[in-house]
């Protein structure tokens, strides 16, 4: 399960036990079952590996499973020439070396019996129980006779659904594919390439997500050798040339051992060679390889606290490369992986990467979910369950698997499922975002608020109108980062649907399938994007006002600007000239005022904070003092006029709801303008006539309470040149 398995001709690295001899086992298997008082010789390697992890395991059921598998497969031969029984034996040995428990090994011995022999699932259930039967059924392929070209994608769908209930199904499949890849050389090149591509696109990402690095790395090397033979051979030559007794990592490893020994820290320091694909990636990243690039130091300790003690000593006694430090203990990866990563400069200036972890972390890093043993056998009634601080709440049902199972139900077409599955698994990193109710959402890196909406609300997310990310308003297209807090905003109108633009921002299959399905089912009812919103708002106009076009058009002709001191309720200092209120800021009592003389001798009055005031003063225009006519700050006759800007997310009935809120406040719309939309945001500008300026705060509150509106403010646009 390491890099040398991908290259039988390469020098063997140090291993705990020799590789299984398939030809010898084939001869042993042909001898048939043995007496009941001992295990068949053919599974001696399996028993030895299993007892290394589970000393008290009862091997009786393994013997029974082997006897059934051997007798069922007797006479069948693999294309490589060995008896077929050697394949389930090899798969079982792979899992045994990873530490799988007895039930998994039993099912792996039987995993091809229902598919390739006369044994039925009922027989497996009768002899070995429901648990083994479920695992065997989960990895049994669907017949091409029944499914045709859809057999492979539907088999994977069936397998993934089974994995959702028991992750051991996928463990067996991964070990099965690893052994098949090891013996793929007997097949035609085109079939080798097809199997290798499926392994690359589906099985390797699944091994990564389940944390089974030992299987993942060897599968990567085997795929690399088949799909990129020239680059593989070049990498193999580089590794062979770098091998030698005076490797730079040996010197640094000795220095690290001495440092930790002097500090009184008990630790095991190993040199961990990189596998072929890892070396290839480093070469592509850095160009010329250094002597220390062919491996990494692995420091194994007993307790979590010792990991940080080792880190402190290394960073104190060696020069650390700070940019290489990562703490996956405090923040584990989504696939159970925990470790401290750092890099230090050793003697002679050589830089070595260092991994620091406990022995338990190392076991989980290599075997992933397989290292959990049987996660379904806990006695919940025996004692209160305490969740370890360094594990996920439910490692048997990780978030990515739950999401996959959710969206696969909507992908009824096998081609859609197969394409979407590959795309989903190509996203190799996961982030966690927090909901305002204290829950969390697991999403792939690059996910947007659209993805978060469908992950949290399902089909209810069709009515999404925006979000708050870390307390700030954001559009649905906003890309989320790990640790963000997100609050999704939904419209009150449950009949509304998604915009086609959302597909541009959706990364998760669940979101894309749901959006596409709604758009397909409602070809004439898709939520219009802001750029296409017109007066044909689905909700119609508000009850007290006529419909207002939303295309930067005037709803009604602007009223004439009122002039003269009595008309405006404004008095200017030292002048008896016509006075008009500036349309750029539409001052109302009790705004502080400033005036400027314009052409014709009239005085235009602005709010003091209006941008036009600063612009006038910059070009040398002298301000004129202005104030409201009466002490109460109220106009003397016909109310006041004000321009308000409403910022909102586009949705159906938005215009009707806004005009209704305005009408309820007894304000008349003088004119209305809607600017071209930007990122699903709509900017409305209303010039309104109010009976009394005192009603302005209530009007603005009423407009803000309209669903989808996130801000209402007084206009601050530049004034036209006078």
């Amino acid at each position: 399960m390491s890099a040398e398995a991908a290259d039988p001709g390469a020098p063997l690295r140090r291993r705990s036990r020799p590789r299984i001899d398939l030809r010898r086992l084939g001869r042993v298997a042909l001898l048939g079952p043995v007496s009941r008082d001992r295990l068949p010789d053919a599974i001696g390697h399996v028993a030895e590996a299993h007892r290394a992890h589970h000393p008290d395991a009862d091997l009786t059921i393994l013997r029974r499973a082997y006897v059934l598998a051997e007798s069922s497969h007797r006479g069948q031969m693999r294309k490589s020439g060995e008896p077929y029984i050697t394949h389930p034996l090899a798969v079982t040995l792979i899992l045994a070396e990873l530490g799988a428990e007895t039930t998994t090994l039993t099912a792996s011995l039987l995993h091809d019996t229902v598919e390739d022999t006369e044994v039925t699932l009922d027989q497996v259930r009768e002899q070995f129980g429901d648990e083994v039967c479920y695992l065997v059924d989960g990895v049994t392929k669907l017949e091409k006779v029944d499914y045709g070209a859809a057999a492979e994608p539907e088999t994977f769908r069936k397998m993934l659904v089974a994995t959702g209930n028991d992750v051991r199904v996928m463990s067996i499949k991964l070990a099965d594919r690893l052994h098949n890849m090891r013996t793929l050389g007997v097949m035609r090149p085109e079939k080798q390439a097809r199997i290798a591509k499926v392994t690359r696109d589906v099985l390797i990402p699944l091994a990564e997500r389940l944390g089974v690095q030992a299987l993942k790395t060897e599968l990567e090397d085997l795929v690399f050798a088949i799909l990129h033979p020239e680059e593989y051979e070049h990498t193999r030559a580089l590794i062979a040339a770098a091998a030698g007794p005076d490797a730079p990592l040996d010197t640094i490893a000795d220095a690290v051992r001495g440092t930790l020994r002097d500090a009184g820290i008990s630790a095991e320091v190993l040199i961990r060679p990189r596998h072929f694909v890892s070396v290839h990636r480093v070469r592509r990243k850095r160009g010329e390889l250094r002597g220390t690039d062919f491996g990494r130091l692995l420091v194994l300790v007993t307790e979590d606290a010792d990991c940080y003690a080792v880190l402190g000593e290394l960073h104190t006694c060696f020069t650390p490369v700070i940019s290489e430090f990562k703490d996956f203990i405090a923040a584990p990866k989504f696939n159970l992986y925990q470790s401290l990563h750092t890099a230090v400069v050793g003697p002679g200036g050589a830089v070595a990467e260092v991994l620091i972890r406990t022995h338990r972390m190392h076991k989980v890093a290599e075997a992933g979910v397989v290292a959990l043993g049987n996660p379904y056998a806990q006695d919940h009634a025996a004692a209160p369950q305490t969740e370890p601080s360094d594990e996920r709440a439910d490692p048997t049902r990780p978030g990515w698997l739950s999401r996959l199972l959710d969206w696969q139900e909507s992908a009824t077409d096998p081609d859609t499922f197969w394409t979407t599955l590959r795309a989903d698994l190509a996203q190799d990193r996961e982030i966690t975002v927090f909901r305002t109710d204290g829950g969390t959402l697991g999403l792939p890196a690059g996910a947007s608020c659209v993805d978060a909406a469908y992950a949290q609300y399902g089909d209810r997310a069709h009515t999404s109108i925006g979000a708050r990310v870390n307390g700030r308003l954001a559009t649905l297209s906003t890309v989320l980062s790990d640790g963000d807090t997100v609050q999704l905003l939904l419209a009150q109108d449950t009949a509304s649907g998604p915009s086609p633009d959302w597909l541009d921002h959706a990364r998760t299959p669940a979101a894309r399938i749901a959006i596409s399905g709604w758009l397909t089912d409602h070809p004439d009812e898709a939520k219009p994007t802001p750029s296409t919103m017109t007066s044909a708002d689905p909700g119609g106009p508000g009850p007290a006002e006529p419909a207002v076009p939303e295309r930067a058009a005037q709803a009604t002709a602007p009223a004439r600007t009122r002039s003269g001191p009595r008309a405006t309720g404004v008095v200017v200092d030292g002048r008896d000239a016509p006075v008009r209120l500036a349309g750029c800021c539409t001052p109302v009592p009790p705004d502080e005022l400033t005036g400027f003389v314009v052409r014709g001798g009239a005085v235009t009055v602005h709010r003091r904070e209006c941008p036009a005031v600063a612009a006038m003063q910059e070009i040398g225009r002298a301000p004129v003092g202005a104030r409201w006519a009466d002490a109460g700050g109220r106009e003397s006759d016909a109310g006041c006029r004000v321009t308000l800007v409403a910022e909102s997310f586009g949705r159906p009935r938005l215009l009707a709801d806004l005009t209704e809120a305005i009408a309820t406040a007894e304000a008349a719309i003088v004119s209305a303008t809607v600017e071209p939309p930007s990122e699903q945001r709509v900017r409305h500008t209303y010039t309104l006539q109010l009976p009394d300026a005192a009603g302005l705060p209530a009007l603005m509150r009423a407009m803000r309470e309209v669903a989808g509106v996130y801000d209402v403010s007084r206009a601050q646009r530049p004034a036209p040149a006078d």
Side-chain angles (χ1 to χ4, degrees):
M1 288 172 287
S2 55
E4 66 268 13
D7 179 18
L12 288 175
R13 299 174 190 165
R14 186 179 302 171
R15 294 174 60 89
S16 58
R17 60 178 57 84
R19 180 103 164 260
I20 187 171
D21 185 345
L22 295 178
R23 295 188 182 278
R24 186 188 68 80
L25 289 185
R27 290 193 297 272
V28 173
L30 290 175
L31 299 177
V34 297
S35 61
R36 290 180 172 272
D37 59 348
R38 67 185 183 90
L39 287 169
D41 291 340
I43 57 172
H45 284 285
V46 173
E48 178 188 353
H50 188 38
R51 280 280 171 83
H53 293 278
H54 304 276
D56 300 327
D58 182 3
L59 303 180
T60 305
I61 191 173
L62 286 181
R63 179 194 179 282
R64 289 170 43 218
Y66 169 76
V67 170
L68 176 60
E70 188 279 328
S71 61
S72 301
H73 290 296
R74 187 175 298 173
Q76 295 179 349
M77 307 294 288
R78 304 195 78 217
K79 290 188 178 180
S80 56
E82 292 94 9
Y84 195 89
I85 188 61
T86 59
H87 170 65
L89 278 170
V91 171
T92 306
L93 179 62
I94 290 171
L95 291 169
E97 289 183 329
L98 288 174
E101 39 69 55
T102 309
T103 302
T104 303
L105 301 185
T106 303
S108 67
L109 281 170
L110 301 170
H111 78 273
D112 276 340
T113 54
V114 174
E115 181 180 326
D116 295 332
T117 75
E118 299 299 320
V119 175
T120 66
L121 283 173
D122 289 337
Q123 289 176 300
V124 173
R125 181 181 294 106
E126 180 181 351
Q127 295 189 42
F128 300 97
D130 291 336
E131 209 171 356
V132 171
C133 179
Y134 184 86
L135 298 178
V136 172
D137 185 33
V139 294
T140 299
K141 295 178 184 177
L142 298 176
E143 294 291 342
K144 285 191 175 182
V145 175
D146 299 326
Y147 288 86
E152 185 172 39
E154 289 301 330
T155 293
F156 271 98
R157 188 202 297 266
K158 168 177 173 280
M159 196 180 308
L160 288 167
V161 171
T163 300
N165 294 321
D166 196 324
V167 293
R168 293 175 293 179
V169 171
M170 190 54 64
S171 300
I172 297 172
K173 178 58 182 179
L174 290 171
D176 173 66
R177 178 54 60 96
L178 175 57
H179 183 246
N180 283 333
M181 289 293 295
R182 284 176 176 175
T183 57
L184 206 59
V186 298
M187 294 187 176
R188 301 187 308 274
E190 58 272 18
K191 189 168 185 179
Q192 290 185 38
R194 185 186 68 79
I195 295 175
K197 287 177 181 177
V198 174
T199 303
R200 176 196 63 193
D201 295 343
V202 180
L203 273 303
I204 289 175
L206 286 172
E208 168 74 15
R209 280 158 174 71
L210 292 174
V212 195
Q213 295 295 320
L215 301 187
K216 179 217 171 195
T217 54
E218 187 174 347
L219 285 171
E220 282 185 326
D221 285 347
L222 291 165
V223 168
F224 185 39
I226 293 172
L227 298 182
H228 306 282
E230 293 181 0
E231 294 181 10
Y232 173 82
E233 288 299 330
H234 180 60
T235 304
R236 175 182 174 180
L238 290 174
I239 293 174
D246 299 324
L249 279 177
D250 291 334
T251 303
I252 301 178
D254 289 338
V256 170
R257 291 187 187 100
T259 298
L260 298 181
R261 185 170 53 252
D262 294 343
I265 300 175
S266 177
E268 185 178 1
V269 180
L270 306 173
I271 296 176
R272 186 174 177 82
R274 291 184 184 271
H275 63 108
F276 286 89
V277 171
S278 180
V279 172
H280 176 68
R281 287 171 180 158
V282 172
R283 183 172 68 86
R284 293 186 62 182
K285 177 182 177 181
R286 297 179 182 166
E288 185 176 352
L289 290 170
R290 304 172 304 201
T292 55
D293 287 336
F294 292 92
R296 292 181 287 191
L297 297 185
L298 174 63
V299 181
L300 297 176
V301 294
T302 304
E303 302 292 338
D304 290 11
D306 294 337
C307 294
Y308 292 97
V310 170
L311 180 71
E313 289 297 324
L314 294 183
H315 282 194
T316 300
C317 300
F318 299 88
T319 301
V321 182
I322 300 300
S323 61
E324 296 293 327
F325 173 68
K326 297 181 181 66
D327 188 347
F328 294 117
I329 295 179
K333 290 186 178 182
F334 67 91
N335 61 359
L336 299 175
Y337 180 86
Q338 289 184 288
S339 186
L340 294 178
H341 288 206
T342 189
V344 297
V345 181
V351 177
E353 295 183 36
V354 185
L355 310 177
I356 308 168
R357 59 180 71 142
T358 65
H359 290 279
R360 176 189 170 280
M361 292 176 189
H362 181 57
K363 180 179 179 181
V364 174
E366 291 292 290
V369 295
V370 180
L372 297 176
N374 182 0
Y376 309 95
Q378 298 177 2
D379 184 6
H380 294 277
Q385 295 297 313
T386 57
E387 179 188 335
S389 60
D390 55 353
E391 288 190 7
R392 299 171 301 183
D394 184 7
T396 67
R397 183 69 177 270
W400 64 266
L401 181 56
S402 295
R403 294 196 305 273
L404 188 154
L405 295 175
D406 288 341
W407 68 252
Q408 68 84 24
E409 294 180 357
S410 303
T412 54
D413 176 57
D415 290 337
T416 301
F417 166 77
W418 197 229
T419 302
T420 308
L421 175 65
R422 294 186 181 206
D424 189 14
L425 294 176
Q427 301 168 359
D428 58 357
R429 193 168 68 84
E430 184 168 284
I431 64 172
T432 299
V433 298
F434 297 91
R435 305 193 320 233
T436 52
D437 61 2
T440 61
L441 297 173
L443 299 169
S448 68
C449 292
V450 171
D451 300 300
Y454 281 94
Q456 181 171 352
Y457 292 113
D459 287 346
R460 284 182 59 203
H462 293 331
T463 64
S464 299
I465 56 177
R468 290 183 183 273
V469 178
N470 301 325
R472 299 174 64 89
L473 285 159
T475 61
L476 290 170
S477 62
T478 301
V479 175
L480 298 169
S481 299
D482 196 30
D484 281 347
T485 298
V486 61
Q487 176 187 4
L488 285 312
L489 307 177
L490 305 181
Q492 295 177 350
D493 180 10
T494 58
S496 60
S499 162
D501 292 345
W502 292 10
L503 289 172
D504 297 332
H505 312 301
R507 290 288 305 275
T508 58
R512 297 188 62 83
I513 291 174
I515 295 167
S516 299
W518 194 94
L519 295 174
T520 300
D521 295 339
H522 304 80
D524 300 324
E525 301 178 33
K527 177 190 293 184
T529 61
S531 60
T532 60
M533 292 178 66
T534 68
S535 59
D537 188 54
E545 293 291 336
V548 182
E550 287 205 32
R551 270 289 187 141
Q554 298 297 330
T556 62
R560 294 180 180 271
T561 304
R562 295 175 293 154
S563 300
R566 284 184 55 79
T568 60
V570 174
V571 176
V572 296
D573 294 342
R575 289 181 181 273
D576 185 14
V579 177
R580 64 188 184 190
L581 301 179
C584 57
C585 58
T586 55
V588 299
D591 295 337
E592 295 184 353
L593 306 177
T594 296
F596 292 93
V597 179
V598 296
R599 285 190 296 269
V603 176
T604 299
V605 178
H606 298 259
R607 294 164 61 195
R608 186 166 294 177
E609 64 269 24
C610 178
V613 173
M616 291 282 196
Q617 291 175 334
E618 285 180 2
I619 63 176
R621 301 283 288 276
V624 175
R627 64 185 184 279
W628 297 106
D630 62 334
R634 298 183 181 276
E635 294 192 55
S636 58
D637 53 6
C640 70
R641 179 173 298 178
V642 64
T643 299
L644 300 179
V645 177
E647 303 277 358
S648 68
F649 299 108
R651 67 167 178 85
R653 288 194 57 86
L654 175 62
L655 184 56
D657 292 344
L658 269 172
T659 54
E660 181 178 0
I662 292 170
T664 302
E666 299 183 355
I669 300 177
V670 177
S671 66
T673 302
V674 176
E675 298 179 9
S678 174
E679 294 186 343
Q680 299 178 338
R681 296 185 182 183
V682 185
R683 180 185 175 94
H684 304 251
T685 303
Y686 296 96
T687 298
L688 307 172
Q689 187 73 25
L690 279 73
D692 193 312
L696 179 58
L699 169 63
M700 295 177 70
R701 282 196 301 271
M703 293 175 67
R704 288 192 187 101
E705 290 173 357
V706 173
V709 176
Y710 57 84
D711 192 24
V712 176
S713 60
R714 299 279 297 279
Q716 292 284 354
R717 63 180 187 274
D722 288 302

